[in-house]
Amino acid sequence: MTTKSIRILIAKPGLDGHDRGAKVVAIALRDAGFEVIYTGLHQTVDQIFDTALEEDVDVIGLSILSGAHLPIAEKLMAKLNQTGMNDKIVLIGGNIPERDIPSLKALGVAGIFPTGSSFDEIALFIQGKTLKVS
Amino acid sequence: MSSKIREVILESGIPIKPVYGPEDVDPKHEIGQPGEFPFTRGIHPYMYRQRPFTMRQYAGFGAPHETNQRFKFLIENGQNALNVAFDLPTQMGLDSSDPLAEGEVGRVGMAVDTLADMEVAFAGIPLDQISVSLTINAVAAPIMAMYFVVAEKQGIPLAEIRGTAQNDILKEYIGRGAWIFPVEAGVRLIGDTIEFCARNAPKYYPVSVCGYHIRESGANPVQEIAYAYAIAKEYIKRGLGRGLNVDDFAGQISFNLDIFGNFFEQIAKFRAARRLWARIIRDEFGAKNPNTMMMKMIAGGGGGGLTIEQPENNIVRGAYYALISALSGTQTMALCSYDEAYTIPTEKAALISLRTMQLLIEEMGIGDTVDPLAGSYYVESLTNEIEARIVTEMQRVEDEWGGIVKAVSEGIVQGEVARQAFAYEKGIQDGSIPKVGVNRHRMEEEKRDVALHAYNPDQATDAIHRTAEVIARRDSNAVKAALEKVRDAARSDQNLMPSLMEAVRAYATIGEITGVMKDVFGKFPEPVNL
């Protein structure tokens, strides 16, 4: 991890088009020195998975405001597990109620960053996780 | 006396002096009289003294019959205008049965598959008296077609129909994100609806240009107006391209603008915007009728200003936003509910918003005299400065970015707004932009959990079932023939509205209609430019 920079995919699954959070976090992480790819809107889980594979990212960050975080996380984690890509670090940000955090963690989501989380928190978390991975 | 005077720079980048005087107001800027060109002081001579602002609240529930009940509740409580929310599948032109709609049917608004759903939603609501605003964009044309057919069936002639459609696709590409087709096709549909209404439904407002969402996506107040105006000018050019006279339609294009942030900056923004619009319409488009030159707006308290921390503070913010809106001469006022930063607005919160607006006009005397801030050295000086900056930003769109259609197609505006949103968020996080309860006067408080629009899977089942029944009953040959006419019109430069009305009358679904348009137009290739 010292020579290769960390690659992050920021993705916007589902029909919801409110992408301010996704874009702002993408810019913040790029500013913090990561390589960031943003998928754009209206992505299916399959599309996100394919992009993660193609772009060979270390981290997948999902921005979800619609309330559909549990089914989306379930689908993505299953797909990563089936394909042996479970080394990818999955993060979820957005409108995530406190009570859903344990279920998301149980699915294998590494970090949950509800609306209002700071850029530093997210960047430090990714740095910590990716150091451990390497 | 040694303490330093604090430096103040507004969000739009304007430095503010501690004291303003007559020397700060450039006399070459015309203020004029209310109801007269350039309408700085308001578009009517007596403003609220004659007619209070309209109070509007957003409503829309999963099922059409629930929406209908909510509308009746709001009307009974003195509301004279309704705002309809649609669920995401409807906004994206998907039927409730579409696999992509899974988990979203009826979640954030009403699910509409066919005309039958609109017939239920508006049953018993007189569409020539109550002004209904449809929050729909990418598929505004077919949804408007449904609305018109419902009115027709109520026995109201097209010429008498009132109401507004949001129908501003260019801002969807910048913020909100409910786009489907490529930019050029999207703008063509706007042209079709403008032309159709100008010729057939002249009392209807076919487009409400939304600076609101552009600002909520990160733009500062000057950019909000500049981009909204660049968009509105584009739509007007499309109307002119259909052989319409500017005075026959441009007055029916209204604006939906945002309120949060610095108090006087917002007020000056609206006064400046009104004056500038009058000049643009008269001098660039050659309008003769003063009504065409009037910038008509809904100015609403924006969600962007509300906080999840100490949420009761949002009631106070809402009251200030309402005051800004009234001091700015709005035609229609809307307020976010204080609890909407963390939950679906409760009926109580929605009622507080309504009462906030009512007590301002009925109890506090806000409407007793027109534009009471006129002549204030500060307000007039700031109005002049903001107007000049809007003009400069509009020139940038034209000269540097090649016009709004190109700038949106290539993601230039989107990138600009996203970077601005980032700078703002950074300012909140480092405390350089003060936010009470967030980075100032923070308190230990009970953690409020966010509640989301509960998803009721029965709603999807019901919607799918309802539509299946409609499909079983309809004349499938008529549907097929009508959809082919939509295809032909989409391929040619014929106006799509007549064929869309025929298709919805035959109970074609929104998914079928959008599918045909997607075949012809394709999909928007979203440029990512951060």
Side-chain angles (χ1 to χ4, degrees), chain B residues 256-304:
Chain B
N256 178 350
L257 301 172
D258 203 3
I259 300 175
F260 75 90
N262 183 284
F263 190 84
F264 288 107
E265 186 180 17
Q266 311 312 310
I267 295 172
K269 167 182 87 177
F270 293 121
R271 297 175 84 254
R274 207 158 35 229
R275 181 165 64 196
L276 178 59
W277 189 243
R279 293 226 176 88
I280 289 173
I281 294 297
R282 189 191 66 177
D283 302 341
E284 289 182 35
F285 292 108
K288 300 277 183 293
N289 182 351
N291 180 55
T292 319
M293 305 169 202
M294 296 174 184
M295 195 275 274
K296 299 158 191 107
M297 63 175 182
I298 173 167

Side-chain angles (χ1 to χ4, degrees), chain B residues 194-195 197-199 202 204-206 232 235-254 285 292 296:
Chain B
I194 287 176
E195 183 191 13
C197 290
R199 299 195 197 280
Y204 196 80
Y205 286 79
Y235 298 156
I236 290 175
K237 285 180 196 157
R238 300 299 168 120
L240 296 174
R242 306 298 174 94
L244 298 171
N245 182 311
V246 69
D247 283 315
D248 293 337
F249 71 98
Q252 295 301 108
I253 294 176
S254 64
F285 292 108
T292 319
K296 299 158 191 107

Side-chain angles (χ1 to χ4, degrees), chain B residues 311-373:
Chain B
E312 292 83 359
N313 294 349
N314 295 330
I315 300 178
V316 183
R317 288 192 180 98
Y320 289 133
Y321 296 160
L323 182 59
I324 289 171
S325 187
L327 290 173
S328 304
T330 191
Q331 279 59 62
T332 300
M333 197 184 286
L335 281 184
C336 286
S337 296
Y338 77 88
D339 56 358
E340 77 175 59
Y342 62 95
T343 190
I344 308 113
T346 54
E347 212 154 82
K348 183 182 169 196
L351 197 59
I352 290 178
S353 296
L354 182 60
R355 294 289 181 257
T356 303
M357 300 185 271
Q358 287 166 333
L359 69 86
L360 201 53
I361 190 96
E362 293 173 27
E363 197 174 303
M364 310 294 287
I366 198 68
D368 294 353
T369 189
V370 178
D371 189 26
L373 296 182

Side-chain angles (χ1 to χ4, degrees), chain B residues 17-262:
Chain B
K17 303 197 296 183
V19 182
Y20 283 76
E23 67 283 2
D24 294 304
V25 186
D26 186 342
K28 81 168 198 288
H29 289 276
E30 191 186 353
I31 299 169
Q33 291 301 315
E36 286 176 18
F37 186 88
F39 306 104
T40 321
R41 304 197 56 192
I43 61 171
H44 300 300
Y46 300 108
M47 288 300 290
Y48 310 140
R49 190 68 177 260
Q50 199 164 38
R51 190 171 162 224
F53 44 78
T54 301
M55 297 168 234
R56 203 192 280 276
Q57 276 172 295
Y58 206 60
F61 286 78
H65 71 272
E66 291 168 334
T67 301
N68 187 260
Q69 280 163 13
R70 177 70 165 196
F71 286 166
K72 288 179 174 160
F73 167 83
L74 291 170
I75 293 169
E76 277 161 25
N77 273 277
Q79 198 154 317
N80 44 15
L82 303 170
N83 217 339
V84 186
F86 295 94
D87 70 355
L88 285 170
T90 306
Q91 292 185 44
M92 296 298 294
L94 303 170
D95 288 340
S96 300
S97 58
D98 193 296
L100 292 173
E102 198 191 329
E104 290 293 353
V105 177
R107 197 196 275 270
V108 300
M110 184 165 82
V112 172
D113 286 347
T114 70
L115 177 67
D117 298 320
M118 295 284 274
E119 289 171 331
V120 170
F122 296 112
I125 296 169
L127 299 183
D128 52 346
Q129 290 161 42
I130 297 285
S131 159
V132 177
S133 172
L134 305 172
T135 306
I136 193 79
N137 294 278
V139 294
I143 295 288
M144 282 164 81
M146 288 184 188
Y147 185 79
F148 293 161
V149 172
V150 170
E152 229 174 54
K153 290 189 165 186
Q154 282 188 4
I156 302 161
L158 268 180
E160 295 305 316
I161 294 173
R162 293 185 182 280
T164 310
Q166 192 165 87
N167 197 22
D168 171 11
I169 195 63
L170 283 169
K171 71 91 176 44
E172 290 293 328
Y173 301 106
I174 303 174
R176 206 173 172 281
W179 41 256
I180 303 170
F181 313 117
V183 178
E184 188 49 49
V187 176
R188 174 252 167 114
L189 286 169
I190 309 275
D192 283 356
T193 52
I194 287 176
E195 183 191 13
F196 182 84
C197 290
R199 299 195 197 280
N200 304 284
K203 291 185 179 172
Y204 196 80
Y205 286 79
V207 175
S208 174
V209 178
C210 297
Y212 183 95
H213 306 87
I214 298 173
R215 175 137 169 78
E216 292 282 316
S217 301
N220 69 35
V222 161
Q223 291 173 323
E224 172 191 2
I225 304 296
Y227 303 155
Y229 279 9
I231 288 171
K233 280 177 64 178
E234 183 64 34
Y235 298 156
I236 290 175
K237 285 180 196 157
R238 300 299 168 120
L240 296 174
R242 306 298 174 94
L244 298 171
N245 182 311
V246 69
D247 283 315
D248 293 337
F249 71 98
Q252 295 301 108
I253 294 176
S254 64
F255 290 86
N256 178 350
L257 301 172
D258 203 3
I259 300 175
F260 75 90
N262 183 284

